[in-house]
Amino acid sequence: MPKIRYYISGHGLGHASRSCQIINTLRHRHPDVAVEVVSAAHEWFFRGFLDPSVPLRRAQLDIGVLQRDSLRMEEGRTLGTYRAFLPERALLVAAESASLRASGVTLVACDIPPLALAAARAAGIPGVGIANFTWEWIYEDLAARHGDFSDVLSSVREDYRSASAYLRLPFHGPFPAGISCENLPLVARRAQLPRAAVRKRLGLVDGRRLALISFGGFGLQDCDFSALASLRDWVFVSEARPGAPAANFIVPPPQGLAYPDLVAAADVVVTKPGYGIVSEAIANGTAVLYTSRGEFREQDLLVAGLRRYARARFISNEQLLRGDWGADLDALLQQPLPDATPACDGDRVAADRLAALARDPGYLGGPPASRSPDRHSHG
C-alpha cells in the first residue's frame, strides 16, 4: 500500500493550515494512499481541521523561529536553540529513518522540517518538501544580524539538499539549486458556508461591517483596543481576548464556525503577514489591514502577494496596539478590487502529485505540474 508520512513544522499555524488542506484533499481524491502526520503544531488545530482518518504523532523536529508574540521574534535565541539541538540531530535522523522503514512508508512529504528530508534519504525513500521558503533562507538572514552560526547553517543546508524534489508554493524565496522544483498554485482553505449565514450566526443583522482579528498561534500582547468602541459601524471578532476589548467585540466566535468561514464573512481581516491568513484572505476575497512582523524575510513576499491579489493597507504596530484603525479601515474598503485572481487549487495539484510519487517513486522523473500563476483578470 502506498503510504505518506507528512512532517509539519510547529511554527505558527500557516504550515499546519496548508498541510491539512493538502492532506484532506489527498485522502478524498486518493483513498488508497495512507497518510500519517508528525508535528509539534497545536493539537487542537489538527483536531479541528485534519481528516480524522489520519493518525497524528507529536514530535518536535524543527525549531522554526521563536517568538514572544506575533509581532516580536527572538532571533538570537532561535539560532542558539538550533545550535543546542544539533547534537540530537543525528540520533533523531536515525530514529526517524528506522521508523520510516519499519512502517512501510513509501514517500516523505514535509512542510518543512529539514531533518525529515535527511531521514527520508537515510531510509532510502523519496523526500519532497512543500513550502514557500526553507528555514535555511530564513536563518541566513537572522545569522547576518547575530554573529557566526555557520554550524547551524551548514546542518540545515545539508538536510535540505537531501530532498528528492520540492513543490514550491507562491510567494516563495530561493530553494536549493540542482533539485527538481515544481511551482504549485495557491493552497488555501476556503469557506464552506454562505457569507450571509455566517454573519447571521454572529448577530450581524443591521448591516454593520465585520473585522476579523487574526494573529495566529502566537497572539498579541500589550493591546488596548478600547478605542474600537467608538467605531459603531464595526463589529470585531477575535478568537483570543486582546486585553480589554470594546463592547462591539465577539470573543470568541460561536462554536461550529470554521475559520475560513469567518475569513470569508469578514469585510476586513486585521493581521500580520503570515502565509496561512494571507492565502485564505486572497482565496476568499477578503480585504486585509496588516502590520509589520519585524525583520522576517518572508514578509516582503507576502505583502507583494497581498497587494497583487487583494485589497490591502498597512498600519504601524503602534496604531495597531492602540486601536487606531478607523480611518484605515474605511480607506481600505474604498480601494478598487484587484485586477488579478490567482489559481487556488494547489491542494489538488499537490495531492495528485504526492499520490503519484507514493505509488511510484520513479514518477519523480515524470512531467512537472504546470500552472499559470493567475487564473483570470477582472473585466
Side-chain angles (χ1 to χ4, degrees):
M1 175 182 290
K3 185 175 185 180
I4 297 172
R5 182 175 294 176
Y6 210 122
Y7 293 87
I8 303 171
S9 175
H11 176 88
L13 294 178
H15 302 271
S17 170
R18 64 199 185 195
S19 297
C20 285
Q21 184 70 17
I22 291 171
I23 293 167
N24 292 347
T25 302
L26 176 62
R27 291 294 298 139
H28 175 72
R29 292 175 64 84
H30 304 279
D32 64 303
V33 179
V35 185
E36 58 190 33
V37 167
V38 178
S39 181
H42 294 288
E43 190 170 358
W44 61 262
F45 187 90
F46 291 115
R47 286 199 305 268
F49 292 104
L50 181 63
D51 186 309
S53 71
V54 177
L56 169 66
R57 172 162 62 90
R58 305 276 297 161
Q60 178 97 33
L61 297 180
D62 71 342
I63 305 300
V65 174
L66 303 178
Q67 298 189 213
R68 292 178 59 191
D69 64 12
S70 287
L71 307 182
R72 291 174 290 186
M73 296 184 298
E74 297 185 301
E75 296 182 352
R77 193 163 77 88
T78 295
L79 294 170
T81 300
Y82 205 102
R83 173 174 282 163
F85 167 75
L86 289 178
E88 299 179 46
R89 177 197 163 278
L91 295 174
L92 285 170
V93 169
E96 287 300 318
S97 63
S99 172
L100 290 167
R101 289 190 296 267
S103 299
V105 173
T106 59
L107 177 72
V108 162
C110 81
D111 185 352
I112 191 169
L115 185 153
L117 296 169
R121 171 164 286 190
I125 62 176
V128 177
I130 307 171
N132 68 311
F133 66 75
T134 66
W135 290 119
E136 174 190 352
W137 182 62
I138 299 296
Y139 291 169
E140 284 175 346
D141 190 50
L142 301 189
R145 296 192 289 273
H146 293 277
D148 182 10
F149 283 90
S150 56
D151 52 344
V152 169
L153 296 179
S154 294
S155 175
V156 173
R157 186 173 295 123
E158 178 185 353
D159 286 350
Y160 280 131
R161 278 149 185 78
S162 299
S164 305
Y166 285 99
L167 302 181
R168 187 169 61 185
L169 292 162
F171 321 140
H172 60 77
F175 276 65
I179 298 174
S180 172
C181 194
E182 304 172 18
N183 289 330
L184 293 176
L186 198 67
V187 173
R189 298 179 301 168
R190 282 147 290 193
Q192 300 300 309
L193 294 177
R195 187 173 189 265
V198 177
R199 293 170 73 92
K200 185 176 180 180
R201 285 279 307 276
L202 295 172
L204 270 74
V205 294
D206 54 1
R208 286 191 292 175
R209 293 170 174 169
L210 179 66
L212 174 64
I213 301 173
S214 180
F215 285 91
F218 294 104
L220 278 176
Q221 297 178 13
D222 306 323
C223 306
D224 181 7
F225 290 164
S226 58
L228 298 176
S230 64
L231 303 180
R232 293 193 172 91
D233 291 337
W234 286 88
V235 171
F236 299 92
V237 176
S238 174
E239 287 198 318
R241 188 170 296 277
N248 51 343
F249 264 66
I250 300 173
V251 184
Q255 289 189 353
L257 290 177
Y259 208 74
D261 293 325
L262 292 172
V263 172
D267 296 283
V268 174
V269 171
V270 183
T271 190
K272 48 83 178 171
Y275 199 96
I277 192 60
V278 164
S279 64
E280 289 178 16
I282 290 172
N284 290 286
T286 306
V288 177
L289 186 66
Y290 69 93
T291 193
S292 171
R293 60 188 296 191
E295 295 186 77
F296 193 62
R297 208 172 193 180
E298 180 195 26
Q299 178 168 247
D300 290 345
L301 303 174
L302 296 176
V303 169
L306 271 178
R307 292 191 172 277
R308 182 176 185 184
Y309 295 123
R311 291 178 292 170
R313 187 176 179 88
F314 172 79
I315 60 171
S316 68
N317 285 181
E318 292 75 20
Q319 278 181 279
L320 175 84
L321 294 175
R322 68 173 180 262
D324 180 13
W325 304 357
D328 290 286
L329 285 169
D330 292 339
L332 173 59
L333 293 185
Q334 296 304 311
Q335 291 181 203
L337 292 172
D339 292 329
T341 301
C344 295
D345 59 343
D347 56 329
R348 182 186 62 78
V349 176
D352 290 352
R353 187 67 164 143
L354 292 175
L357 291 170
R359 295 187 185 110
D360 178 12
Y363 189 68
L364 274 168
S370 175
R371 187 60 54 131
S372 169
D374 293 342
R375 186 186 299 279
H376 61 268
S377 297
H378 295 296

